Amino acid sequence: MRSSGRPGVSEILEKINFRAFVESIIAVAVGFLIGAIILLAFNYNPAEAYTALFRGGLASIDNIAATLHYSTPILLTALTFAIGARTGIFNIGAESSFYLGAIAAVAFTNIWGNLWFGLLMGMALGALWALPAALLKVYRGVHEVISTIMLNWIGWYLISWLIVGPYADPNNPIKTIKVPENARLPTIGNTVLSWGFIIAVVAAILVYFILWHTTLGFGMRASGYNQRAARYGGISPRAAMMWSFIIGGMASGLGGAMKIMGEYPGYAISQGGSNIYGFGFDGIGVSLVGRNHPLGIILSAIFFGMLKAGTSEMQQTGVPLEIVKLIQGIIIITVAIPGLYDLLKKGLRRAA
Amino acid sequence: MKKKSLFAMLLVGLMALSVAASGCIGGGENTKGAIAIVYDVGGRGDLSFNDMAYLGASRAAKDFNLELVELQSNSEDDYYKNLETLAKAKKYKIIIAVGFMMTDATKAIAQKYPEQKFAIVDGFDPEMPDNVMMILFKENEGSALAGALAGLIAANDGKNKVGIVLGMEIPVLYKFEAGYRFGVKWAEDYYRQKTGNDARVDVIYQYTGSFNDAAKGKAAAEAQLQNGAWVVYQVAGGTGLGVFDAVKEYLNTRNRQMGPPFAIGVDSAQDWIKPGVIIASMMKRVDVGVYDAVKAAVDGTFKGGAVELGLKENGVGLSTVDDVMAMFNSLSEDTQKKKLQELGFNSKDELRQYLENTRKQVPSWIWQAVDELKQKIISGEIKVPAPTNKDRIEKVRQAQTWQEMEQLAG
């Protein structure tokens, strides 16, 4: 057990992180470059468009608030994916844990209008929803991609019904009943940003701490590298996988709860779930860009949030939304390529 | 080594691009200010609601020599940010939010930026600040005409069912449904008095839950046609485009070019989309509403609060062939050419002729009857119910005669 002692690991990590950071910066530059070429091809002015994009994301208190506001939910769903990836699991169940967190917030805060109760129940339901996939994986070897996709659909139809059925607002059928006022996440100043962002960052730091500074986390990462070796070293991969799903589910459930409890000015889920759909999937991209590292995820979530927040300013310069999304998609793909490459390399190595 | 050179190339490339880019900055035209419009998630290209809003805004921009800035919303999370971006720019005479979904965000932003004028289409909030004009329509009145037309066509052909396919179950759509039901029952009564024969026409209705899923609309209409619906009224934006497909296929399988059964369009004069299939459209003149809001902002007569546009104010009504051609002419030249080719017409006149022929499939006394109802609603002799919640629409659904429904129009 002395081949690569633990102090050495952190050194390697630091090196990798620096490399990863440089790679990401280059990738961002490449993405913007390709985007600029496309903008030119469509006869738009890239300099003007990009200036607007950054202005919309960063140029004032309101815009920074919008950036952080957009980055909050995807930060948490990215954590779900990252915890899974570190444990060697391809967990894409963040999407449905997010739904369950959102509906839990609506349902339980209307029973007891307490902020922390709402957040707690969101986490609990998110974890609960991840449990079937965890049990199937651990005790029956069912591949998590299959089970989480199925759970995503089950979750989607479940909440679709809850939104139009028991929790529909009789006076405003396009939304669910609102989260009561004393259970809402207060906004910071006169902006759209709620304290949810701070909670999300704390959650990321907590996940980092669990993964790198606890026995449990060491076990999770060890079984992620090599299950047989981990078992040989006295670590239970089963327990590691169970915890990975549960902590992951909690993160996304918290994200869903905060999405609704901090959603100024509506504080409700819309019919068709349009304001809670897709965050789990976006989280996968955020996680890849952040190299499945909780601290990297904080940065990449803010980057994604900035792109979203800059969309309206970019449109104001005359670039249609479809082109804006195209450019953003290209940037995101190029930024994610290094992370994706690492993931595939790992996967291939494990398969070999 | 390799990496370094790649990076250097990138930098050079970026520099070259920025130089190239700075050379082609497009200047603004000589306008006297600007207006802005924010679309709902459905966005442009729905051939109804959002496109009508654009029509009104672009016409106003041309008439008053203003620049028009358009923002689309990618999802609901963008409403607030889009409106705030525009309000912060402090250069728009008025910002128009298209769609009831933006009500909350508009209210919040209007409170935050009290100096900025706003207009919202279809959105209503009793506590809306007074820098917001709420443009509302009496969809119930227009839909009553659609219902009368549908009911009379069905009764005249000895059929006993008509259909209506709706989008999301929202208060605005209750007004459409109630108006349609009212019209159908009025048609029953009219037919009885005119011919002395008894007629009973029932309404089959379905809420599809979406405004941009044509497949859903098609499936819903197919089911209704199977059930014997003789006319299907679509009130579902982009979802409703599928209703037209369903009726067209129903006709095709019976080797017919023209209805009945017919579809009825909504929001804009949609007859040109499938001539021969669409007998008429219930026009909701969002363009008129938006145009008037811009005009008010320009000439200083802007007032906050609700503005309701009904048959009398020309805010709603059934499309005429002229309306359809005007709508068709507002499309881009390319689109017009493509569409004519697709329909197999050599000229717009042929399209017009075909639309006229479609309307001739329905006896002229029916058109006169519909007009009669219109006049009675305008004069206030007949009142159409406008339910805005579930309990009220339920009462309308249970009513057996139009007189009963009128009682509910308190």
Side-chain angles (χ1 to χ4, degrees), chain B residues 105-116 118 128-129 131-132:
Chain B
T106 306
K107 185 176 160 189
I109 292 290
Q111 281 163 344
K112 195 169 168 180
Y113 299 90
E115 297 302 304
Q116 173 70 54
F118 293 89
M128 195 63 94
N131 54 333
V132 184

Side-chain angles (χ1 to χ4, degrees), chain A residues 179-201:
Chain A
V179 172
E181 266 178 53
N182 40 8
R184 291 172 191 175
L185 283 159
T187 50
I188 302 173
N190 190 13
T191 67
V192 71
L193 184 64
S194 75
W195 286 97
F197 177 73
I198 310 293
I199 297 174
V201 170

